[in-house]
């Protein structure tokens, strides 16, 4: 019914306050206007095998929104989380290409985020999926880095542009 939507968390350059991008976040806006927490609906979507469909909705909303921002003079990069289940879908690469083509978004403005655990589960398979996207210009980020048991050697063989260090790891540095 169109109740799942993307909302956007801005990313700003600390030194200048300049908007440099946004993170797309899934939200469920029920017909009665109530907002359901992702902590409640994401696990249910994963359990029911619907997380890929939810991910495609968010990616589509995000790409169309970012393309609109660009047309209005705001060339901000959009980051979209990709669930391990969505990443495993046989048509994943084609679905990304399709939404880029339909939205008109420059692939360089799209940043896909996968979790560290998904990246290290099968690095060769991950590389086979990621390289075609990377070669088209899509930026790739590893999310929650520092929560798993990967080592830098295995991760550096993959074409990541961004490493998002997990907050627990950063807090431990102090």
């Amino acid at each position: 019914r169109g109740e799942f939507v993307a909302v956007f968390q801005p990313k700003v350059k600390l030194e200048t306050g300049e908007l440099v991008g946004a993170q797309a976040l899934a939200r469920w806006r029920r017909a009665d206007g109530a907002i359901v927490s992702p902590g409640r609906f994401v696990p249910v979507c994963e359990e029911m095998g619907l997380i890929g469909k939810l991910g495609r909705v968010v990616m589509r909303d995000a790409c169309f929104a970012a393309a609109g921002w660009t047309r209005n003079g705001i060339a901000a990069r959009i980051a979209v989380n990709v669930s391990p289940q969505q990443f495993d879908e046989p048509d994943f690469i084609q679905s990304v290409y399709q939404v880029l083509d339909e939205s008109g978004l420059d692939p360089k403005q799209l940043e896909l985020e996968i979790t560290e655990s998904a990246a290290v589960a099968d690095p060769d398979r991950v590389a086979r999926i990621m390289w075609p996207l990377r070669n088209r210009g899509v930026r790739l980020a590893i999310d929650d880095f520092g929560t798993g048991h990967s080592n830098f050697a295995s991760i550096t063989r993959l074409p990541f542009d961004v490493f998002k260090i997990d907050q627990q790891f950063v807090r431990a540095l102090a």
Side-chain angles (χ1 to χ4, degrees), residues 63-112:
C63 288
F64 273 90
W69 301 335
T70 299
R71 285 190 298 276
N72 288 316
I74 304 168
R77 184 171 289 120
I78 188 71
V80 179
N81 290 314
V82 177
S83 75
Q85 294 89 337
Q86 184 181 4
F87 195 72
D88 285 339
E89 292 175 350
D91 68 338
F92 175 69
I93 295 170
Q94 188 56 42
S95 71
V96 174
Y97 289 168
Q98 183 176 354
V99 75
L100 286 169
D101 292 343
E102 290 174 0
S103 67
L105 183 66
D106 182 340
K108 292 181 179 98
Q109 288 179 259
L110 178 61
E111 182 176 289
L112 299 179

Side-chain angles (χ1 to χ4, degrees), residues 5 10 16 22 28 31 38-39 51 58 62 65 68 71 88 123 129 132 150 162:
V5 296
T16 64
W28 181 9
I51 198 70
V58 171
R71 285 190 298 276
D88 285 339
I129 293 168
S150 63
V162 177

Side-chain angles (χ1 to χ4, degrees), residues 3 38 43 46 50 59 65 69 75 93 111 119 121 129 132 169:
E3 293 181 11
E46 289 174 336
L50 298 173
M59 187 174 309
W69 301 335
I93 295 170
E111 182 176 289
I129 293 168
F169 184 79

